[in-house]
Amino acid sequence: MGNYILAIDQGTTSSRAIIFDKSGSIISTGQLEHEQIFPKAGWVEHDPKEIWDNTREVIGQALSKANLTRHDIEAVGITNQRETAVVWDKTTGKAVYNAIVWQDTRTQSIVDRLAADGGIERFKPQVGLPLATYFSGTKIVWILENVEGAREKAEAGDLLFGTTDSWVLWNLTGGTDGGVHVTDVTNASRTLFMDLETLQWDDDILAAFDVPRSMLPEIKSSSEVYGTAHTSSLLREVPIAGILGDQQAATFGQAAFDTGEAKNTYGTGNFLIFNTGEEIIHSKNGLLTTVGYKLGDAPVHYALEGSIAVTGSLVQWLRDNLGLIGSADEIEALAKTVDDNGGAYFVPAFSGLFAPYWRSDARGALVGLTRYVNKGHIARAALEAIAFQTREVIDAVNADSGVPLTELKVDGGATANNLLLQFQADILDVPVVRPVVAETTALGAAYAAGLAVGFWDGLDDLRANWQEDQRWEPSMDASERDRQLRNWKKAVTKTFDWVDEDVN
Ligand SMILES: Nc1ncnc2c1ncn2[C@@H]1O[C@H](COP(=O)(O)OP(=O)(O)OP(=O)(O)O)[C@@H](O)[C@H]1O
Ligand SMILES: [Mg+2]
């Protein structure tokens, strides 16, 4: 029996393999970034082959750093950037186009076309999501309509679709040599195609999108054995036993298993997930209804989600596009060169605005500028934007649930930033709490896999692993908080109605 679980975290910016022990502690990590491809304004792509090559390599890194072999690994869990769509040829194993990333807005005209009959909430009763470029369904349609020969091949049953969990699983289990074509309920709930009640693809919706059902993976629970790693893999014969989309995985890794529990992840974007238990709750305040997790045959848990497209990626943008900082962590020192935002508010509507607004016509704006504003103020405004957007999503959760959150569990790369988390506590007026293991995404996938093979006995084992690292208490005056929120909301309105039909 192996003493460890290996989690593959196929993220937006990098792929990681992390090995965990029974206490949920990290034993070793392998990590490689992949190229972010921006062919045009609003387009974001990844190379699926690079993603799979990196995944294989980081598995090797993690094993060799810890001096372990496949015999030490009891099971593998997969977590992934959600909604990012890969379409590949099942006979060659090659993708027919780059992966179209969740942030990509090229499918707006497909959204408009589908919304012409019934509006953007047309499928929301079944799938919990509005029509938006964000979700994978519209990206599949784009590939079928724009890649030469794709439609014919898809109709002939030669093409497969998957989010990157399915792409990694199919390749890890052998690819053209018997690869398993499966996704889990959490990833399936982000396509626009899965009925939340039946947890199956909805044929009427597939017909409306004109997507052949034969392309789609089989939907399974988040915790069961899907297959074993192929003999050509370093992990050969190790069962792959857990899949959770990254945000659901982080929720699971935070041990937020019960109704009313929540977490907020600060990564490329920010994603707040609020567990609603076995009940499907339709938001009246701009949140998505999604699947939280499903363990084998046990009942499914649903969640409300507040998705924010641009948070940590705004910090990357200041680094890569403006050269304001040399690395993401330098933003804290730069922001500390000033006492406040100097009147500047930065609304990073680079992919339109997601929750709670869902305005695809919005684009980014930096407002309140005067001669006084310097780069320190802009750094601060960028960090504050992360916190303000989170505040608006939490207001929506509180309004939908009727029971205000009394503290916020956080995780993700940007939670290394103390200034950000103090401002977050101030602007929320509730404490912010960070656990010892900040890699909750990978941990959640490890938990799902470990539960399936009996490595952990049950959820109580996992709850016992959760430990608080640090806590930030609110200390801002109510009047100051109100003034800043008022300004923020005004700034948000300045981003609306920017995209005209002839501008992307
Ligand atoms: N000290 C910091 N202050 C603010 N932002 C930071 C800091 N350190 C990292 N970040 C931001 O956090 C993000 C990385 O966090 P994380 O690795 O959790 O992201 P992610 O979304 O999970 O990435 P992936 O999708 O590849 O998994 C980057 O966008 C980066 O700009
Ligand atoms: Mg991540």
Side-chain angles (χ1 to χ4, degrees):
M1 167 125 183
N3 288 318
Y4 306 99
I5 302 288
L6 185 144
I8 296 168
D9 177 359
Q10 199 307 291
T12 308
T13 51
S14 74
S15 303
R16 285 171 251 210
I18 304 186
I19 298 175
F20 293 95
D21 67 11
K22 216 165 244 179
S23 73
S25 303
I26 293 176
I27 301 301
S28 71
T29 301
Q31 179 169 10
L32 281 174
E33 293 205 1
H34 53 265
E35 190 188 350
Q36 304 295 315
I37 305 166
F38 304 113
K40 296 186 189 185
W43 292 32
V44 189
E45 300 178 359
H46 296 155
D47 175 358
K49 181 170 183 305
E50 183 186 11
I51 283 180
W52 169 237
D53 289 346
N54 286 359
T55 302
R56 263 195 311 201
E57 197 169 332
V58 297
I59 291 169
Q61 287 177 3
L63 287 170
S64 71
K65 276 191 202 166
N67 257 314
L68 298 175
T69 71
R70 65 193 175 93
H71 300 291
D72 300 299
I73 306 298
E74 191 62 16
V76 174
I78 300 174
T79 179
N80 59 296
Q81 53 171 324
R82 305 173 304 170
E83 301 98 8
T84 296
V86 187
V87 174
W88 70 96
D89 185 319
K90 71 178 181 195
T91 47
T92 65
K94 291 207 174 91
V96 301
Y97 190 77
N98 275 339
I100 302 185
V101 179
W102 56 274
Q103 302 144 321
D104 191 295
T105 57
R106 82 183 65 184
T107 57
Q108 188 59 46
S109 61
I110 296 170
V111 167
D112 293 342
R113 196 169 78 207
L114 285 158
D117 176 12
I120 66 164
E121 306 217 323
R122 179 174 173 192
F123 303 114
K124 204 164 179 222
Q126 296 98 301
V127 305
L129 313 172
L131 282 165
T133 61
Y134 178 26
F135 306 110
S136 28
T138 63
K139 303 177 197 292
I140 304 172
V141 173
W142 190 92
I143 290 175
L144 292 177
E145 290 181 357
N146 291 279
V147 176
E148 211 185 310
R151 164 75 57 196
E152 293 71 28
K153 277 193 191 160
E155 301 288 354
D158 292 335
L159 297 190
L160 302 179
F161 153 76
T163 36
T164 63
D165 54 318
S166 302
W167 172 243
V168 166
L169 177 71
W170 189 79
N171 280 291
L172 189 57
T173 53
T176 53
D177 185 19
V180 172
H181 189 220
V182 156
T183 192
D184 89 307
V185 282
T186 66
N187 278 292
S189 77
R190 318 295 297 184
T191 53
L192 284 165
F193 298 160
M194 190 188 80
D195 185 305
L196 287 171
E197 300 267 0
T198 63
L199 305 176
Q200 292 303 322
W201 306 122
D202 181 310
D203 283 318
D204 293 337
I205 298 177
L206 290 178
F209 277 75
D210 201 10
V211 167
R213 195 182 171 116
S214 60
M215 295 178 73
L216 303 182
E218 188 181 348
I219 304 174
K220 299 235 172 165
S221 81
S222 318
S223 176
E224 64 181 274
V225 175
Y226 312 107
T228 54
H230 190 250
T231 49
S232 64
S233 161
L234 284 177
L235 292 168
R236 66 177 166 275
E237 285 160 20
V238 178
I240 299 129
I243 302 178
L244 285 163
D246 56 6
Q247 301 310 323
Q248 284 87 345
T251 314
F252 211 71
Q254 286 267 24
F257 305 127
D258 292 332
T259 311
E261 294 186 313
K263 68 87 209 187
N264 197 28
T265 300
Y266 296 68
T268 306
N270 265 34
F271 300 87
L272 184 117
I273 290 200
F274 179 85
N275 187 330
T276 63
E278 293 174 37
E279 200 182 343
I280 297 175
I281 295 186
H282 286 284
S283 175
K284 294 186 175 63
N285 297 284
L287 302 174
L288 308 175
T289 306
T290 198
V291 174
Y293 64 89
K294 183 178 190 315
L295 304 177
D297 295 331
V300 60
H301 277 243
Y302 296 99
L304 284 169
E305 173 175 317
S307 330
I308 305 168
V310 179
T311 58
S313 57
L314 178 58
V315 176
Q316 292 173 325
W317 185 83
L318 293 177
R319 181 193 66 190
D320 301 340
N321 295 40
L322 298 193
L324 211 58
I325 44 176
S327 64
D329 58 307
E330 287 175 19
I331 195 167
E332 187 166 0
L334 181 56
K336 276 190 178 148
T337 60
V338 292
D339 293 330
D340 56 32
N341 62 21
Y345 289 80
F346 198 158
V347 187
F350 297 169
S351 301
L353 286 168
F354 286 13
Y357 295 100
W358 299 104
R359 292 288 298 244
S360 54
D361 60 327
R363 284 298 179 268
L366 179 53
V367 300
L369 298 185
T370 58
R371 276 295 294 275
Y372 175 71
V373 170
N374 65 34
K375 61 186 177 182
H377 297 118
I378 291 175
R380 197 172 265 268
L383 293 176
E384 291 183 359
I386 300 176
F388 284 129
Q389 292 185 95
T390 296
R391 161 74 196 233
E392 294 211 81
V393 158
I394 287 180
D395 285 346
V397 168
N398 288 343
D400 275 337
S401 77
V403 191
L405 283 175
T406 52
E407 64 172 36
L408 185 66
K409 282 180 168 180
V410 301
D411 53 60
T415 63
N417 191 312
N418 282 294
L419 185 116
L420 168 63
L421 294 189
Q422 182 57 53
F423 188 77
Q424 184 70 83
D426 287 342
I427 219 70
L428 287 176
D429 201 24
V430 298
V432 167
V433 188
R434 189 179 63 198
V436 172
V437 180
E439 290 280 2
T440 50
T441 303
L443 181 61
Y447 281 168
L451 284 172
V453 297
F455 184 80
W456 286 289
D457 289 333
L459 298 182
D460 283 339
D461 276 7
L462 310 181
R463 282 190 189 95
N465 283 349
W466 193 93
Q467 282 180 306
E468 180 172 322
D469 171 40
Q470 210 176 328
R471 175 177 285 267
W472 289 263
E473 298 287 345
S475 67
M476 187 183 273
D477 285 347
S479 61
E480 177 59 8
R481 181 164 48 244
D482 291 347
R483 185 185 72 81
Q484 294 213 29
L485 278 169
R486 190 190 72 232
N487 284 340
W488 166 259
K489 288 187 189 207
K490 189 157 56 170
V492 169
T493 64
K494 309 289 179 197
T495 70
F496 294 165
D497 290 321
W498 183 256
V499 180
D500 296 327
E501 251 166 44
D502 56 349
V503 178
N504 278 307

Coordinates of all heavy atoms in Angstrom, one line a residue, residues 90 153-161 181 206 211-217:
K90 N -9.5 11.4 -32.0 CA -9.3 10.3 -31.2 C -8.4 9.2 -31.9 O -7.8 8.4 -31.2 CB -10.6 9.7 -30.7 CG -11.4 9.0 -31.7 CD -12.7 8.4 -30.9 CE -13.6 7.7 -31.9 NZ -14.9 7.4 -31.3
K153 N -15.7 15.8 -39.1 CA -15.1 14.8 -38.3 C -15.9 14.6 -37.0 O -16.0 13.4 -36.6 CB -13.6 15.2 -37.9 CG -12.6 15.0 -39.0 CD -11.2 15.1 -38.3 CE -10.1 15.1 -39.4 NZ -8.9 15.8 -38.8
A154 N -16.4 15.7 -36.5 CA -17.2 15.5 -35.2 C -18.4 14.7 -35.5 O -18.8 13.8 -34.8 CB -17.5 16.9 -34.7
E155 N -19.1 15.0 -36.7 CA -20.3 14.3 -37.0 C -20.0 12.8 -37.2 O -20.8 11.9 -37.0 CB -21.0 14.9 -38.3 CG -21.4 16.3 -38.2 CD -22.6 16.6 -37.3 OE1 -23.2 15.7 -36.8 OE2 -22.9 17.8 -37.1
A156 N -18.8 12.5 -37.7 CA -18.4 11.1 -38.0 C -18.0 10.4 -36.7 O -17.6 9.2 -36.7 CB -17.3 11.1 -39.0
G157 N -17.9 11.1 -35.6 CA -17.6 10.5 -34.3 C -16.1 10.4 -34.1 O -15.6 9.7 -33.2
D158 N -15.3 11.2 -34.8 CA -13.8 11.1 -34.7 C -13.2 12.1 -33.7 O -12.1 12.0 -33.4 CB -13.2 11.3 -36.1 CG -13.4 10.2 -37.0 OD1 -13.7 9.1 -36.6 OD2 -13.4 10.5 -38.3
L159 N -14.0 13.1 -33.3 CA -13.5 14.1 -32.4 C -14.0 13.9 -31.0 O -15.1 13.6 -30.8 CB -13.8 15.5 -32.9 CG -13.3 15.9 -34.3 CD1 -13.5 17.4 -34.5 CD2 -11.8 15.6 -34.4
L160 N -13.1 14.3 -30.0 CA -13.5 14.2 -28.6 C -13.3 15.6 -28.1 O -12.4 16.4 -28.4 CB -12.6 13.3 -27.8 CG -12.6 11.8 -28.3 CD1 -11.7 10.9 -27.4 CD2 -14.1 11.2 -28.2
F161 N -14.2 16.0 -27.1 CA -14.0 17.2 -26.4 C -13.7 16.9 -25.0 O -14.2 15.9 -24.4 CB -15.4 18.1 -26.4 CG -15.5 19.0 -25.2 CD1 -14.8 20.1 -25.2 CD2 -16.3 18.6 -24.1 CE1 -14.9 21.0 -24.0 CE2 -16.4 19.4 -23.0 CZ -15.7 20.6 -23.0
H181 N -12.2 8.4 -21.6 CA -12.8 9.7 -21.9 C -13.9 10.0 -21.0 O -15.1 9.6 -21.2 CB -13.3 9.7 -23.4 CG -13.7 11.0 -23.9 ND1 -14.8 11.3 -24.6 CD2 -13.2 12.3 -23.6 CE1 -14.9 12.6 -24.9 NE2 -13.9 13.2 -24.3
L206 N -27.9 20.4 -26.3 CA -26.9 20.0 -27.3 C -27.4 20.3 -28.7 O -26.7 20.7 -29.6 CB -26.6 18.5 -27.2 CG -25.8 18.1 -25.9 CD1 -25.5 16.6 -25.9 CD2 -24.4 18.9 -25.9
V211 N -24.1 20.5 -31.1 CA -22.8 19.8 -30.7 C -23.2 18.3 -30.6 O -24.1 17.9 -29.9 CB -22.3 20.3 -29.4 CG1 -21.2 19.4 -28.8 CG2 -21.7 21.7 -29.5
P212 N -22.5 17.5 -31.4 CA -22.8 16.0 -31.4 C -22.4 15.4 -30.0 O -21.3 15.7 -29.5 CB -21.8 15.4 -32.4 CG -21.3 16.6 -33.2 CD -21.4 17.8 -32.4
R213 N -23.3 14.6 -29.5 CA -23.1 14.0 -28.2 C -21.9 13.1 -28.1 O -21.3 12.9 -27.1 CB -24.4 13.3 -27.8 CG -24.5 12.9 -26.3 CD -25.8 12.1 -26.0 NE -25.7 11.6 -24.7 CZ -26.5 11.9 -23.7 NH1 -27.5 12.7 -23.9 NH2 -26.3 11.4 -22.5
S214 N -21.6 12.5 -29.3 CA -20.5 11.6 -29.3 C -19.1 12.2 -29.0 O -18.2 11.5 -28.6 CB -20.3 11.0 -30.7 OG -20.1 12.0 -31.7
M215 N -19.0 13.6 -29.0 CA -17.8 14.3 -28.7 C -17.6 14.3 -27.1 O -16.5 14.6 -26.7 CB -17.8 15.7 -29.1 CG -17.9 16.0 -30.6 SD -18.0 17.8 -30.8 CE -16.3 18.3 -30.4
L216 N -18.7 14.2 -26.4 CA -18.6 14.5 -25.0 C -18.2 13.4 -24.1 O -18.5 12.2 -24.4 CB -20.0 15.0 -24.5 CG -20.6 16.2 -25.3 CD1 -21.9 16.6 -24.7 CD2 -19.6 17.4 -25.2
P217 N -17.4 13.7 -23.1 CA -17.0 12.6 -22.2 C -18.2 12.1 -21.3 O -19.2 12.8 -21.2 CB -16.0 13.3 -21.3 CG -16.3 14.8 -21.3 CD -16.9 15.0 -22.7

